[in-house]
Amino acid sequence: MTSSQTAEITGLYRYPVKGLTPEHLPRVLLRRGETLPADRRYAIENGPSGFDPEAPAWMPKTQFLMLMRNERLASLDSLFEDATNRLTIRKDGEVVASGNLETAAGRFAIESYFRENFQPELKGAPKLLSGRDHSFSDVASKVVSIINLDSVRAIETLLGGAAVHPLRFRANLYVQGWPAWSELDLVGQTLAIGQARLKVVKRIKRCAATNVDPETAARDLDIPPTLSRNLGHMDCGIYAEVIADGEIDVGDTIAVEAPKLV
């Protein structure tokens, strides 16, 4: 990919609670060294992990309820309210749990739902973890994840034409306009979106979470092995770190910044 090739942001999403519903955002202010606001701020511990909220440290996703193993999470519809820190969970349109995630009572209300309804998958008592400024990301650094929709369409071709919902990849930014798979060559490059700048730091290796349909909660595809057989890797998407503040909107252009001449 050359620095002249641009793409367009078609979707912005955050995931306040790891493993639960994505929330669409029309615009967002990116801040240097941070994730999207409230992205992966919370997680549901699946059995004792040793996580210390006073000294939060990265832990593997296997310590938490997550789609790679717990596809029933996709059948829940959750909404997080920033002003009140309240999480509301609905199932089949009915509210099944609600609580302020920054209070013991609110966390207990959410934990009780999972204790009563996810028993077969639990390794111990579920615990709602708040990391304050910590991000329960799949990687140790604070990142923004980006998915190229042309790569998703290429996966559909590899699967023989099966429809692949882009939200299977649980990205923050969805973009269109880059050739399929060209984003994988951007590691080390800087992306420009208005005033915001993001440095691409890593390709995203996909796991079995992508096999789960985000609308039906069915584990109905086999995406990582399909990528491995056909491409020799299981990568789709990139992680980037915010290196300069800026507000970004759906419809904005995302460009590969040309290296500065020395």
Side-chain angles (χ1 to χ4, degrees):
M1 187 188 296
T2 67
S3 59
S4 63
Q5 290 181 297
T6 63
E8 177 187 346
I9 298 174
T10 63
L12 292 170
Y13 291 86
R14 69 172 185 178
Y15 307 78
V17 182
K18 189 176 184 68
L20 296 188
T21 313
E23 295 183 0
H24 177 262
L25 303 170
R27 67 188 60 83
V28 67
L29 176 61
L30 294 180
R31 293 193 180 278
R32 182 177 179 178
E34 297 297 329
T35 65
L36 268 67
D39 189 53
R40 276 88 171 182
R41 180 184 292 173
Y42 304 96
I44 304 167
E45 183 184 63
N46 188 6
S49 69
F51 180 80
D52 181 359
E54 299 303 320
W58 180 85
M59 289 185 170
K61 60 187 171 185
T62 50
Q63 298 286 350
F64 313 112
L65 289 177
M66 41 83 188
L67 288 174
M68 186 177 80
R69 293 180 177 172
N70 314 112
E71 63 265 26
R72 287 198 296 139
L73 294 172
S75 69
L76 305 176
D77 182 22
S78 62
L79 177 65
F80 179 72
E81 301 171 29
D82 294 86
T84 62
N85 297 311
R86 177 169 293 276
L87 178 73
T88 300
I89 300 177
R90 290 177 170 82
K91 173 131 175 97
D92 300 325
E94 299 293 327
V95 174
V96 294
S98 184
N100 181 337
L101 300 188
E102 293 301 327
T103 68
R107 292 190 294 271
F108 181 79
I110 302 300
E111 293 163 356
S112 295
Y113 174 77
F114 287 97
R115 186 180 302 110
E116 294 167 7
N117 294 276
F118 277 69
Q119 196 58 235
E121 290 132 291
L122 297 178
K123 301 174 184 177
K127 184 177 181 181
L128 199 296
L129 301 179
S130 171
R132 300 178 184 173
D133 292 330
H134 178 72
S135 173
F136 292 97
S137 172
D138 286 351
V139 294
S141 56
K142 290 186 177 182
V143 292
V144 173
S145 57
I146 304 171
I147 281 288
N148 177 7
L149 291 176
D150 278 1
S151 297
V152 176
R153 297 185 188 103
I155 292 174
E156 291 179 330
T157 300
L158 295 177
L159 291 167
V164 176
H165 197 305
L167 288 182
R168 286 178 184 262
F169 299 93
R170 297 180 66 79
N172 297 128
L173 276 63
Y174 288 89
V175 305
Q176 66 178 12
W178 286 336
W181 309 119
S182 61
E183 72 280 8
L184 299 181
D185 297 325
L186 291 177
V187 175
Q189 299 294 308
T190 298
L191 304 178
I193 314 171
Q195 296 299 311
R197 295 294 184 273
L198 300 90
K199 183 174 182 179
V200 181
V201 294
K202 186 180 177 68
R203 291 158 58 149
I204 304 176
K205 184 177 180 179
R206 307 319 312 199
C207 71
T210 57
N211 296 334
V212 179
D213 188 303
E215 294 183 329
T216 67
R219 193 177 292 276
D220 57 358
L221 293 178
D222 207 18
I223 290 176
T226 298
L227 292 174
S228 181
R229 285 194 303 270
N230 288 273
L231 304 178
H233 61 73
M234 295 190 292
D235 301 339
C236 181
I238 48 178
Y239 288 124
E241 295 178 350
V242 180
I243 58 174
D245 298 359
E247 186 173 78
I248 64 174
D249 296 60
V250 172
D252 279 355
T253 295
I254 179 169
V256 182
E257 194 167 67
K260 293 181 180 179
L261 298 177
V262 183

